Amino acid sequence: TTGWTSRSLNPAGVMGGAYAGYNYQLSPNFVLGVEGDFKGSPSSADFYSQAFDVTPRVQQNWLAALNGRVGVAFDRALFYAIGGAASGQGSVTVTPGLLLFPASLQPISRTANLSGWDVGAGFEYAFDPHWLGRLEYRYYDFGSFNASNVGAYLPLHLHTSVNTVRAGFA
C-alpha cells in the first residue's frame, strides 16, 4: 500500500495432516481420482520496517484442498498430476516500535480465511496391496489478502501463495 515497499517473505516450517480419496483405474495404465486433505502449517516470517517503525509478522495457519487427480501407472508406481480448490488461513500481526509509537500501543492481529486453487504433481509407490508412500509438490495460490482496519498502522496488502513438498503414507 502507499508508503510500503514490496517484500517477498519466505516462511518455512513443518506441517502435518491427513488425506483421503478414491482412485479408479480406467485401464492398466490410466488412473482418475478425487482427494481431500487438511494440513496444519504454523509457518511464519517477519521483517522490520525502519521507515514505519513496525514489525509485521505473516503466518500461514492451515491449508486444505479438494482435488482431482489424473495419473499413469506402471506396475506399482503411479505418476500423477493434481489440482483443484484450496482454502487456508493466514494471519498478520503488526508490532509497533518505540521510535514512532508510544510504549502503550499494543500489537494488532488480523486473521483471514482464504480461498483459491492449487496444482501439483507427485509419485506414489505401492509397497504391497495395503501400504503406499508418496512424494508430492503442490503450489497454492490464494490471491490477495487485505489486512486493513489495523488502528494506528497503515493497512497491509498481501498476495499469498504457498509451495509445499510433502511425503505421505497410506
Side-chain angles (χ1 to χ4, degrees):
T1 60
T2 306
W4 285 89
T5 59
S6 292
R7 293 205 188 251
S8 178
L9 298 179
N10 297 306
V14 175
M15 70 175 129
Y19 67 94
Y22 179 79
N23 289 324
Y24 182 75
Q25 195 157 353
L26 294 174
S27 70
N29 298 97
F30 191 63
V31 177
L32 290 177
V34 63
E35 179 177 299
D37 59 53
F38 180 88
K39 297 151 297 292
S41 173
S43 60
S44 64
D46 55 14
F47 66 94
Y48 176 69
S49 171
Q50 187 173 5
F52 296 98
D53 191 31
V54 294
T55 303
R57 172 177 288 260
V58 178
Q59 181 170 326
Q60 180 70 48
N61 300 324
W62 55 264
L63 298 169
L66 181 60
N67 292 309
R69 292 192 339 156
V70 59
V72 177
F74 298 100
D75 191 32
R76 294 176 173 226
L78 175 68
F79 297 90
Y80 63 90
I82 188 167
S87 61
Q89 186 182 76
S91 301
V92 175
T93 301
V94 179
T95 303
L98 296 175
L99 297 175
L100 299 176
F101 297 100
S104 62
L105 190 59
Q106 296 297 309
I108 294 177
S109 291
R110 296 292 182 262
T111 299
N113 292 322
L114 310 170
S115 60
W117 54 271
D118 69 328
V119 65
F123 168 76
E124 285 184 350
Y125 184 79
F127 298 108
D128 68 30
H130 302 289
W131 292 97
L132 66 85
R134 76 163 42 167
L135 184 62
E136 180 181 272
Y137 166 78
R138 194 96 63 90
Y139 172 80
Y140 298 81
D141 192 309
F142 296 109
S144 295
F145 166 8
N146 289 311
S148 57
N149 219 2
V150 288
Y153 314 107
L154 291 174
L156 296 175
H157 176 78
L158 303 167
H159 181 87
T160 305
S161 61
V162 179
N163 290 282
T164 64
V165 175
R166 311 181 317 173
F169 297 96

